[in-house]
Amino acid sequence: MKILVTGGLGFIGSHTVVELVNAGYEPVIVDDLSNSDPKILDQLAKIIGYKPVFHKLDLCDEAGVKALAVAEPDVQGIIHFAAFKAVGESVAKPLKYYRNNFYSLINLLEAYYSKPLNFVFSSSCTVYGQPAVLPVTEEAPVQPAQSPYGNTKQIAEEILKDMIESGTSSYKVVALRYFNPVGAHETALIGELPIGVPQNLVPFITQTAIGKREKITVFGNDYNTPDGSCVRDYIHVVDLAKAHVAALKLAEREDYTGYDVFNIGTGEGSTVLGVIKAFENATGVKVNYQIGARRAGDVEKVWGDVTKSTNKLGWKTELGLEAMMSSAWEWEKYIAQNPL
Ligand code: WQD
């Protein structure tokens, strides 16, 4: 069964390609290489045993997406990762984010509109803002977005819901609200490839540990949390990748129709300082850190209630914080030795 994976050379996309193959699917990758490296195709080949089909395409190119639908008519599912995702950049360049994340979604949906397709969408726990009740469930109110990036996720969910409610499309849609994906594949052949200075916690930790950065700043230690640093629900990218397979399986069921949304996390929170400690315990490598000011826009604490995804997707995480840290570290060392 062919599955189109947009953004399939990115961090989460590439891990999902591997899990699709493990589950017997045939991934077809679409990526514009704007935030990914074509050599990831060779890395994927080392893991799955063959080079997957790849279309280099910017999904904002409407004619190009129509041509893709003609070239790949027999796909039975789409997993749509391709999007810009840097929160800070989205504040500085909102139109770039709105153009890219909406045009690509709409072009893709329109190109395959008449086909009965399963569509899995990458959403984010960012839609919850700072939840009043933790762990946060899917029923919690969506809060006004803190950034154009967050807004694109919220509005994309609305677009998909409106499309289903119109009754005019043949899609079945599953939206997955990711918490904080970290870690890398156990082979250390694929992982996160941040461009420039990492904005996210774990790549900053691994780059500091390997000596690429002098130290990491912990953004605030005066929050109302066990050690004063922010709490997030970190999830191993391989567990997250498997959630996409589970989402496809759900959508394939005859009794599944329409649209639904699921939290994809571990259900447990960890503090920033706790993550640094877990890294040190898992790897034996000390991380040079300092406490700094709070980062604008950060929520204090968020972790997900995963009851719904456990029950309805039949999925749950298998890998803990130590596995996340050791795999991220193995990848950092691999990429230092074998630059792409
Ligand atoms: C995690 C924690 C920081 C860097 C963002 C997006 C979200 C999602 C994932 C992605 C926070 C702290 C970080 C550093 C630090 N979407 N930190 N020092 O902000 O939870 O979520 O990425 O595509 O939508 O908002 O993730 O990794 O940036 O931060 O102390 O150098 O680590 O303050 O508490 P975040 P993050």
Side-chain angles (χ1 to χ4, degrees):
M1 219 188 271
K2 272 193 194 175
I3 306 295
L4 207 66
V5 187
T6 77
L9 296 181
F11 175 41
I12 307 170
S14 58
H15 288 81
T16 301
V17 165
V18 173
E19 294 311 319
L20 285 170
V21 172
N22 288 343
Y25 291 98
E26 194 186 333
V28 174
I29 298 175
V30 181
D31 201 299
D32 68 354
L33 304 177
S34 63
N35 190 19
S36 59
D37 194 300
K39 296 196 196 78
I40 293 295
L41 276 174
D42 303 318
Q43 299 297 96
L44 284 169
K46 290 178 199 165
I47 301 174
I48 65 176
Y50 68 94
K51 217 166 170 170
V53 174
F54 168 55
H55 297 271
K56 181 179 182 301
L57 177 66
D58 176 355
L59 295 170
C60 293
D61 167 7
E62 189 180 350
V65 180
K66 284 202 172 117
L68 172 75
V70 172
E72 297 286 359
D74 54 348
V75 299
Q76 275 155 314
I78 299 177
I79 306 181
H80 182 47
F81 294 106
F84 291 158
K85 60 167 190 176
V87 177
E89 188 192 34
S90 81
V91 175
K93 298 175 181 168
L95 297 186
K96 176 179 169 179
Y97 272 65
Y98 289 128
R99 169 184 287 274
N100 184 69
N101 292 4
F102 292 143
Y103 280 30
S104 56
L105 173 68
I106 291 166
N107 285 342
L108 191 59
L109 291 171
E110 285 185 340
Y112 284 97
Y113 207 72
S114 56
K115 308 235 165 145
L117 276 185
N118 304 319
F119 193 92
V120 181
F121 179 66
S122 302
S123 191
S124 168
C125 69
T126 189
V127 302
Y128 297 122
Q130 175 59 68
V133 180
L134 289 166
V136 63
T137 71
E138 291 85 351
E139 280 71 49
V142 163
Q143 310 239 9
Q146 295 294 309
S147 69
Y149 161 75
N151 226 358
T152 66
K153 291 297 175 193
Q154 287 186 8
I155 296 169
E157 284 192 4
E158 296 296 329
I159 289 171
L160 290 164
K161 234 185 300 173
D162 289 347
M163 177 188 79
I164 292 297
E165 278 168 16
S166 75
T168 60
S169 90
S170 313
Y171 286 105
K172 295 180 183 186
V173 179
V174 181
L176 302 180
R177 290 177 177 163
Y178 312 156
F179 285 73
N180 287 54
V182 300
H185 194 256
E186 61 182 0
T187 58
L189 290 166
I190 52 174
E192 197 168 358
L193 275 175
I195 293 178
V197 181
Q199 305 300 308
N200 297 114
L201 178 63
V202 174
F204 212 109
I205 290 176
T206 56
Q207 289 197 6
T208 305
I210 210 158
K212 251 173 124 172
R213 315 268 156 215
E214 191 204 333
K215 59 181 171 230
I216 176 163
T217 301
V218 173
F219 297 140
N221 70 344
D222 57 352
Y223 287 101
N224 180 24
T225 63
D227 61 23
S229 61
C230 290
V231 174
R232 298 285 183 275
D233 184 343
Y234 296 91
I235 172 171
H236 198 297
V237 66
V238 171
D239 278 331
L240 174 57
K242 288 177 179 168
H244 294 80
V245 174
L248 279 179
K249 299 263 183 225
L250 174 69
E252 282 164 15
R253 287 172 51 151
E254 271 182 25
D255 60 353
Y256 183 86
T257 52
Y259 172 90
D260 209 351
V261 61
F262 295 93
N263 282 345
I264 303 296
T266 64
E268 283 175 30
S270 305
T271 64
V272 176
L273 289 167
V275 172
I276 293 174
K277 273 203 199 87
F279 179 86
E280 293 181 336
N281 289 341
T283 64
V285 181
K286 283 265 162 230
V287 179
N288 187 19
Y289 72 87
Q290 66 179 12
I291 306 294
R294 292 181 175 198
R295 181 172 72 176
D298 265 341
V299 302
E300 181 171 89
K301 48 192 166 198
V302 61
W303 63 97
D305 185 311
V306 290
T307 311
K308 183 177 173 188
S309 40
T310 309
N311 292 342
K312 291 204 178 158
L313 287 177
W315 164 93
K316 63 178 170 46
T317 56
E318 292 166 0
L319 300 164
L321 204 51
E322 297 236 334
M324 299 179 210
M325 295 302 119
S326 54
S327 61
W329 179 230
E330 291 307 315
W331 164 246
E332 185 69 59
K333 287 190 290 183
Y334 173 86
I335 204 70
Q337 293 294 316
N338 310 275
L340 293 182

